[in-house]
Amino acid sequence: MSTATAKGRVLAADVASPVDLPPFPSSAMDGYAYADAAAADKSLRVVGASLAGHPYPGALNAGECIRITTGAEVPRSADTVVIQENCERDGDNLTLTERPTAGANIRAQGHDVTTGALVARAGQRLNAFDIAWLAAVGVESVSVVVRPKVALFSTVDELKEPGAPLQAGEIYDANRLALKSLMANLPVALTDLGILPDDRDALEAALGQAATEHDLLLTSGGVSVGDADYVKEIIERLGHIGLWRLNLKPGKPLAFGRAGQALFLGLPGNPVSTIVTYLLIAQPLLLKLAGTEAEPPFSFKARLAAELRHNPGREEYQRGILSRGADGYQVSVSGDQSSNRLATFSGANCLIRIRKEDGHLAAGTNVEVIPLKELID
Ligand code: AMP
Ligand code: MG
């Protein structure tokens, strides 16, 4: 595909540079180019110019120099550039007020990249810097990995689309829009299958059909232990559940398995749990299916501003507000951490990782924090 639109995609093959970069010896500065060995001490005669994109066509003789601008080609007959601040020009006469060392201010041909050198690797996910490099060496198109097909749906019957009036007992479907937004930049081909029917047979038919057309079925809700949580049961019939329930908070009712040829990942239904498990588990899985490895997110230590309550037994990721104080980073919990309360994300800019063996942590304790920006693609 075109390099211009390949940001975020995963390369299917290594890319070697088709050119040297720079493609010719070029000047690093604005000044004058000359041959050091042939320079008559400190005075030179200006015989022309090499401007970026407009090389000097001739060859320099002893005692001659040319005006040169940054990025312009240095003629083979020159080997040194004096910066314009270190000389005085009077008509065609140039006097060096400071003589640079031989070879100064010239970027050799291929000094950045030589022809054939690897500029990007198979499995690499292209970011803006990679695109810059590919463009600089003139690579106009790249072969990329086919995006995995992902079917997204919500499973819970009490859900309504935002905008529709709520009937008794109904709530809005927050998770599907959250997941869609979180996946927007990922190299996956997403199909939004909406809110699945409540009827078991219809649900089984819909999941079975989706499984034939996608690489991954991604759901939220319907995999806990409630009577109506029959998604798991249906997946067991279509394939199998290999993993159910994690010792993680939020995110305990998570299911992973296979439905026919497709993988199945069932995220918990509570919106906070959905988002946290998406970030920690679904996103790395999606990137793996897309042909690349997710880098572990950067984390660092910050001081707790107040006591953090935690009972040993489960690893927990609380939402936190991280700020930089006079003596380093400090973090506070963003209010009540119930897994149904999206309010815990408002103002939050990190996850606080609490180890499973930790109990209540006193104010001042150093805890591990992961900036949310590290996790959001
Ligand atoms: P479940 O895992 O199906 O038992 O769902 C747990 C909680 O999450 C229930 O209170 C559901 O109403 C809620 N929930 C499930 N799916 C969604 C969704 N798509 N948007 C908002 N809340 C949801
Ligand atoms: Mg339920």
Side-chain angles (χ1 to χ4, degrees):
M1 73 185 299
S2 164
T3 306
T5 53
K7 182 166 174 248
R9 297 296 298 264
V10 177
L11 280 180
D14 291 350
V15 179
S17 177
V19 295
D20 288 341
L21 191 67
F24 45 83
S26 74
S27 180
M29 303 293 278
D30 290 333
Y32 294 85
Y34 59 94
D36 182 74
D41 195 26
K42 286 190 168 178
S43 76
L44 294 161
R45 202 161 61 79
V46 183
V47 296
S50 177
L51 308 178
H54 303 279
Y56 179 68
L60 296 178
N61 297 310
E64 293 180 345
C65 70
I66 53 168
R67 170 86 181 122
I68 197 160
T69 55
T70 305
E73 181 169 7
V74 178
R76 304 278 160 187
S77 50
D79 60 11
T80 304
V81 168
V82 59
I83 62 173
Q84 60 195 20
E85 291 81 355
N86 288 348
C87 44
E88 274 163 16
R89 183 170 176 176
D90 177 14
D92 287 342
N93 295 317
L94 191 79
T95 307
L96 307 182
T97 52
E98 216 172 285
R99 191 166 171 171
T101 55
N105 301 315
I106 293 180
R107 300 172 182 146
Q109 176 173 339
H111 137 271
D112 193 0
V113 185
T114 52
T115 304
L118 204 61
V119 290
R121 287 176 191 282
Q124 181 175 335
R125 185 152 174 240
L126 296 175
N127 62 25
F129 314 116
D130 303 321
I131 302 278
W133 214 6
L134 291 168
V137 296
V139 172
E140 178 259 335
S141 66
V142 286
S143 63
V144 294
V145 175
V146 175
R147 294 174 305 165
K149 295 196 189 82
V150 178
L152 173 69
F153 36 83
S154 300
T155 61
V156 179
D157 51 6
E158 69 267 28
L159 297 177
K160 271 283 168 65
E161 297 283 3
L166 291 179
Q167 309 300 324
E170 292 180 339
I171 57 166
Y172 288 118
D173 181 357
N175 295 345
R176 226 169 76 251
L177 281 192
L179 291 170
K180 255 172 120 166
S181 314
L182 287 163
M183 283 187 276
N185 295 325
L186 287 190
V188 299
L190 188 67
T191 317
D192 181 356
L193 292 180
I195 300 165
L196 284 195
D198 163 24
D199 170 85
R200 272 178 207 234
D201 293 338
L203 183 54
E204 182 162 347
L207 286 171
Q209 180 61 31
T212 64
E213 295 165 352
H214 296 89
D215 300 301
L216 173 72
L217 311 184
L218 183 63
T219 67
S220 68
V223 290
S224 58
V225 286
D227 285 346
D229 292 340
Y230 36 70
V231 174
K232 209 175 123 263
E233 183 192 308
I234 291 174
I235 298 297
E236 293 277 19
R237 278 205 296 277
L238 296 171
H240 76 280
I241 296 285
L243 176 158
W244 181 52
R245 301 175 95 181
L246 292 178
N247 198 25
L248 178 68
K249 187 178 178 187
K252 190 171 175 188
L254 179 142
F256 181 66
R258 186 174 277 285
Q261 290 309 300
L263 292 176
F264 167 79
L265 179 60
L267 302 178
N270 274 313
V272 171
S273 314
T274 310
I275 294 173
V276 170
T277 52
Y278 170 83
L279 294 172
L280 299 177
I281 294 158
Q283 189 168 268
L285 171 67
L286 290 165
L287 288 170
K288 181 95 185 166
L289 293 175
T292 191
E293 290 293 333
E295 292 281 331
F298 278 116
S299 66
F300 52 91
K301 296 276 174 145
R303 221 162 16 83
L304 277 177
E307 188 196 42
L308 183 153
R309 314 276 301 168
H310 180 254
N311 295 319
R314 262 206 285 173
E315 180 165 310
E316 182 172 4
Y317 289 81
Q318 296 196 3
R319 280 66 64 208
I321 299 167
L322 184 67
S323 60
R324 192 162 28 201
D327 51 350
Y329 284 101
Q330 76 162 31
V331 66
S332 51
V333 169
S334 63
D336 165 30
Q337 296 285 308
S338 310
S339 61
N340 60 321
R341 296 200 68 220
L342 279 170
T344 67
F345 275 107
S346 85
N349 57 4
C350 71
L351 294 180
I352 306 169
R353 176 170 171 256
I354 304 126
R355 293 168 306 178
K356 108 171 160 225
E357 61 273 21
D358 287 334
H360 302 322
L361 299 169
T365 307
N366 276 320
V367 289
E368 186 181 350
V369 293
I370 308 170
L372 282 172
K373 280 190 177 153
E374 274 295 313
L375 292 163
I376 297 170
D377 182 79

